[in-house]
Amino acid sequence: MLLLRNLAFYLVFYLGSVVYVLSAVASIPLGARALGWVVDRWCCFHRSCARLFLGIRVRLEGAPTAGAALYAIRHESFFEAIDAPCLFDHPVPFAKRELFRIPGWGRAAEAYGCVPVARDEGARALRAMVASARTYSAQGRPLVIFPEGTRVPHGERGQLQAGFAGLYKLLGLPVVPVAVDSGPLYHRRLKRPGTITYRFAEPIAPGLPRAEVERQVIEAINALNAGSPAA
């Protein structure tokens, strides 16, 4: 039964995603509102498929803060990456530049306002990211980053990418760490039923030394991992 439910999820979600990506590209000439609506519908479609076929539900502990902020989210699976527009109002995700090469998706992501992350281009890339992030933040959009830079198995602690501290310093925004425990359920292949929890921590004020802000972020994003077995 579990295998059949997974097959149904993959079939319906990925075939449906092709339609949504094509719709997103087609909506670009219609403006940001139309594109944003398509992206929101796609994320809601993903949550619905996860609930209907996989038996996965979502629980929130806390909520996004009022005002501009940089949200640092624990990264255990693709679930939280796809789910961001369900958590925030028109968020601005930081995404690996390689993802922008995906046909259709990359064009829509760029038009939507995703910020490409080029890890191997140093200070120049960081300045470009900061400039884009400031523009979007001034529009009232929340900034979303996965500071570990890659998925980390549940129960393990990853290291924060060096660029996170640079963004924190240059943006001058509070950071809101968000813990998530999607790893045990939303595996790369066989996904399992249960509840995925997001836990929003208290905002961390701007201006802290690098070591201190990194310590606080690491502690907060791993809050749901204590005592849990690795996936």
Side-chain angles (χ1 to χ4, degrees), residues 7-213:
L7 289 175
F9 169 80
Y10 285 119
L11 179 65
V12 174
F13 174 65
Y14 283 102
L15 285 179
S17 292
V18 172
V19 176
Y20 277 103
V21 169
L22 294 175
S23 299
V25 174
S27 71
I28 292 174
L30 302 178
R33 185 183 297 273
L35 176 57
W37 185 87
V38 175
V39 172
D40 288 346
R41 292 306 93 202
W42 177 62
C43 296
C44 290
F45 172 67
H46 172 254
R47 266 208 194 184
S48 297
C49 288
R51 182 176 65 252
L52 178 63
F53 297 111
L54 303 175
I56 292 177
R57 297 184 179 276
V58 175
R59 178 176 63 212
L60 301 184
E61 295 181 2
T65 188
L70 174 64
Y71 292 86
I73 304 179
R74 162 85 176 179
H75 195 14
E76 292 192 357
S77 73
F78 279 131
F79 186 90
E80 53 270 11
I82 299 172
D83 200 53
C86 289
L87 295 175
F88 307 101
D89 181 16
H90 206 196
V92 177
F94 289 76
K96 292 186 293 185
R97 175 165 287 179
E98 293 83 354
L99 295 175
F100 289 78
R101 298 172 187 158
I102 300 174
W105 190 95
R107 184 181 174 193
E110 185 177 3
Y112 178 78
C114 292
V115 177
V117 177
R119 300 174 187 170
D120 56 350
E121 295 184 13
R124 180 180 178 182
L126 179 60
R127 288 194 297 270
M129 286 191 293
V130 169
S132 295
R134 283 175 174 166
T135 298
Y136 291 126
S137 180
Q139 297 170 2
R141 298 177 62 180
L143 308 177
V144 174
I145 191 170
F146 299 101
E148 296 151 309
T150 188
R151 286 168 291 176
V152 179
H154 188 74
E156 296 183 12
R157 290 196 173 203
Q159 298 296 317
L160 303 189
Q161 293 291 316
F164 169 74
L167 283 173
Y168 166 77
K169 178 180 179 180
L170 295 173
L171 288 173
L173 294 173
V175 175
V176 180
V178 183
V180 63
D181 58 358
S182 64
L185 303 182
Y186 204 87
H187 289 271
R188 292 188 181 186
R189 295 182 179 87
L190 197 62
K191 297 167 173 54
R192 302 181 182 279
T195 299
I196 292 175
T197 299
Y198 291 100
R199 180 178 294 174
F200 289 80
E202 291 297 316
I204 299 171
L208 294 181
R210 174 177 177 173
E212 179 61 17
V213 69

